[in-house]
Amino acid sequence: MRSRPFLLILLSHIILSAALVAQTQGSEPYDSLAHQTVKEALGSNKAYEMLSDLCTNVGHRLSGSPAAAKAVQWAEKKMQELGFDNVHLEPVMVPHWVRGPFERAYVLNPSGKRENLAIAALGGTIGTPKGGITAEVLEVKSFEELHKLGEKAKGKIVFFSRPMDRTLVNTFEAYGRAVDQRGAGAVEAAKVGGVAALVRSMTTRRDNVPHTGAMHYDDSVKKVPAAAVSIIGAERLSALVASGTPVRVHMEFSAQTLPDVESANVIGELRGTEKPEEVIVIGGHLDSWDKGQGANDDGAGCVQSIEALRLLKTLGLKPKRTIRAVMFMNEENGLRGGIAYAEKQRPGEKAVAAIESDMGSFQPVGFGIGDSAAYEKLLPWAPVFRFLNADHFQLGGGGADISPLARQGVPLMDLIPEVQRYFDYHHSDNDTIEGVNERELALGAAALAIFSYIIAQEGL
Ligand SMILES: [Zn+2]
């Protein structure tokens, strides 16, 4: 007869095993194909190959530019070569803002010496008058402070210097809390008689590279020019202002808005075998700012979407529902592609989910799911992503390009990467292929492939 302690050990072992089985059985059907997908993504390195090609042979591609037109052709050709289904363009009119041939700024020291400031005109701004603007700088940290100063802003270049909050772990949150200065700085400056807006760059990196981005005007307020200044430039200006003597700055740039141009969203898909009319959209935006190469923002999201389809196709995985890659045009300064995609009538079609990758090329950590029913349904599959450290599923998600689909009740989701480095690159000359790690990019593509495939098989 066996001893009691042995039976107890045996019993506890059985209970433990049962618990483990219960915990993992939900993910089982997808575990081995998830491993295969990751193996193929890392081994082939195709996402990086595509991104290098886009970055070096097309380069940055602001909406309306010849490079953006080239990018449209590039994406269409790429998806055709890979043998995707239904590869086509969906035309859309986009804004055409141009930076112009020069932009410069400097501090005019009382001695007459000039001290250069690295600036970048903000997207959508008017140019400065011929000969530029020379005026005293008024530094503020918020619109509230600016409006309290009121009259003092008259004739000044308003310098918005509130930094992204370094103490926040989520850099997107820090960005969100500072970016009003860039978007609305020109309008707020003009309301109190300011002649221009100069904004501390939205970045987490301390260097001398200015970061551009969208700004807007209000038709009821006088238009004044707006530019971003690098962090080193901004800190120098703050130090000069703090010294107490009036600081005079000259700024000059020739930006302008030209008539709209026809461009397109680029689309390709893997047709569903059982419910082809049910569609899972995955995508990023093909346009970028006219700085760097648009590698992390958002060449990465585009190639990850293409690569996700390629991975499934290469592994012979046939989704029951259609998975569609969409390269949206004009996310940065108009969102016209996202709006056009949502507004287009698609008879007989049902959008199941839309998943965006637009937070950079970094190590994937999981997915944001902006719909509680979809979140409940997808959460049991999180363990499939554990082996690549991407099993963090959170309630709340989406992306700019897919946001217009929310009105139709489509569950919006996004691939969440690690976020500490994204704003080092964002909208600046830093955003080149050198800022992309090929393994992290590939893992993101694989995660997107597995996630979209699970939704295609299971439905929502
Ligand atoms: Zn983006």
Side-chain angles (χ1 to χ4, degrees):
M1 199 188 146
R2 306 267 185 194
S3 67
R4 268 181 76 85
F6 179 83
L7 274 176
L8 275 177
I9 289 164
L10 187 71
L11 196 65
S12 65
H13 183 75
I14 289 166
I15 291 167
L16 197 66
S17 303
L20 276 174
V21 167
Q23 202 182 18
T24 54
Q25 71 184 0
S27 61
E28 213 167 81
Y30 298 108
D31 283 340
S32 86
L33 67 87
H35 278 88
Q36 288 168 39
T37 307
V38 167
K39 210 169 176 183
E40 169 63 23
L42 289 172
S44 71
N45 207 21
K46 278 279 194 284
Y48 188 78
E49 235 172 61
M50 282 190 275
L51 188 54
S52 296
D53 185 27
L54 178 65
C55 286
T56 51
N57 295 321
V58 177
H60 62 61
R61 44 200 177 276
L62 184 58
S63 290
S65 68
K70 202 174 163 189
V72 166
Q73 290 173 358
W74 178 90
E76 186 185 28
K77 186 162 169 260
K78 195 59 67 184
M79 292 201 274
Q80 277 166 347
E81 282 169 1
L82 291 169
F84 296 168
D85 303 319
N86 194 18
V87 176
H88 67 284
L89 306 182
E90 292 183 355
V92 58
M93 296 301 290
V94 295
H96 189 198
W97 175 82
V98 291
R99 183 171 300 281
F102 65 90
E103 50 191 7
R104 55 178 160 258
Y106 48 82
V107 178
L108 270 167
N109 285 331
S111 62
K113 225 184 106 201
R114 293 174 178 184
E115 215 179 306
N116 284 333
L117 295 170
I119 62 157
L122 293 180
T125 184
I126 58 170
T128 55
K130 243 194 166 71
I133 287 175
T134 306
E136 194 183 320
V137 164
L138 176 76
E139 179 177 1
V140 294
K141 294 270 188 259
S142 68
F143 297 155
E144 202 187 3
E145 184 187 353
L146 175 63
H147 292 291
K148 271 188 193 147
L149 292 169
E151 279 292 295
K152 280 190 182 155
K154 219 166 206 164
K156 305 267 173 65
I157 293 173
V158 179
F159 169 39
F160 295 95
S161 68
R162 186 172 84 255
M164 280 174 65
D165 186 348
R166 292 188 63 83
T167 65
L168 295 171
V169 172
N170 186 339
T171 54
F172 280 83
E173 193 185 340
Y175 177 70
R177 290 194 196 180
V179 77
D180 61 322
Q181 301 172 102
R182 190 191 75 204
V187 169
E188 298 306 318
K191 278 184 189 166
V192 286
V195 292
L198 191 57
V199 183
R200 179 185 163 111
S201 285
M202 298 295 132
T203 180
T204 39
R205 180 149 145 185
R206 194 174 179 279
D207 64 12
N208 204 27
V209 178
H211 294 237
T212 190
M215 58 79 68
H216 62 83
Y217 287 117
D218 177 335
D219 285 341
S220 65
V221 179
K222 186 175 187 266
K223 290 181 179 175
V224 300
V229 59
S230 70
I231 297 304
I232 285 178
E235 288 182 352
R236 176 66 183 147
L237 267 183
S238 293
L240 288 169
V241 169
S243 75
T245 46
V247 181
R248 287 173 67 76
V249 162
H250 174 84
M251 55 196 259
E252 198 173 352
F253 46 85
S254 52
Q256 59 175 318
T257 299
L258 302 173
D260 286 1
V261 169
E262 187 179 304
S263 185
N265 292 330
V266 189
I267 294 172
E269 60 195 32
L270 296 187
R271 237 11 221 157
T273 52
E274 289 180 21
K275 294 181 175 175
E277 73 288 354
E278 295 192 13
V279 177
I280 294 108
V281 168
I282 60 175
H285 62 86
L286 194 50
D287 65 307
S288 75
W289 280 106
D290 58 336
K291 293 283 183 187
Q293 297 172 332
N296 271 300
D297 188 14
D298 181 28
C302 289
V303 303
Q304 283 175 330
S305 303
I306 299 175
E307 173 67 351
L309 294 193
R310 190 199 70 83
L311 288 167
L312 298 176
K313 199 173 160 69
T314 303
L315 295 170
L317 296 168
K318 294 190 164 64
K320 289 181 186 170
R321 294 169 179 79
T322 297
I323 305 178
R324 175 180 297 158
V326 183
M327 318 285 105
F328 294 95
M329 181 50 69
N330 187 225
E331 187 271 347
E332 297 292 5
N333 59 336
L335 207 64
R336 302 264 188 97
I339 293 166
Y341 181 86
E343 283 180 353
K344 189 175 161 67
Q345 295 295 317
R346 301 176 196 277
E349 189 173 304
K350 185 186 168 233
V352 176
I355 311 158
E356 181 140 2
S357 170
D358 186 19
M359 296 204 286
S361 63
F362 311 103
Q363 164 68 42
V365 299
F367 290 89
I369 302 162
D371 173 281
S372 53
Y375 173 74
E376 295 297 331
K377 183 102 201 236
L378 291 169
L379 193 58
W381 305 113
V384 177
F385 299 83
R386 194 163 290 156
F387 76 105
L388 65 156
N389 295 321
D391 59 338
H392 170 71
F393 282 23
Q394 69 178 40
L395 181 58
D401 294 292
I402 56 175
S403 61
L405 289 166
R407 260 172 271 146
Q408 298 161 29
V410 182
L412 306 184
M413 306 175 192
D414 57 338
L415 172 66
I416 305 174
E418 192 286 317
V419 297
Q420 297 311 316
R421 288 165 287 161
Y422 183 61
F423 290 97
D424 293 4
Y425 302 105
H426 191 243
H427 299 178
S428 78
D429 281 335
N430 292 337
D431 189 9
T432 64
I433 189 70
E434 284 73 29
V436 175
N437 175 285
E438 55 191 62
R439 296 180 61 81
E440 292 180 337
L441 178 74
L443 290 178
L448 189 58
I450 302 159
F451 188 71
S452 56
Y453 184 72
I454 290 174
I455 299 174
Q457 301 312 91
E458 303 292 327
L460 280 180

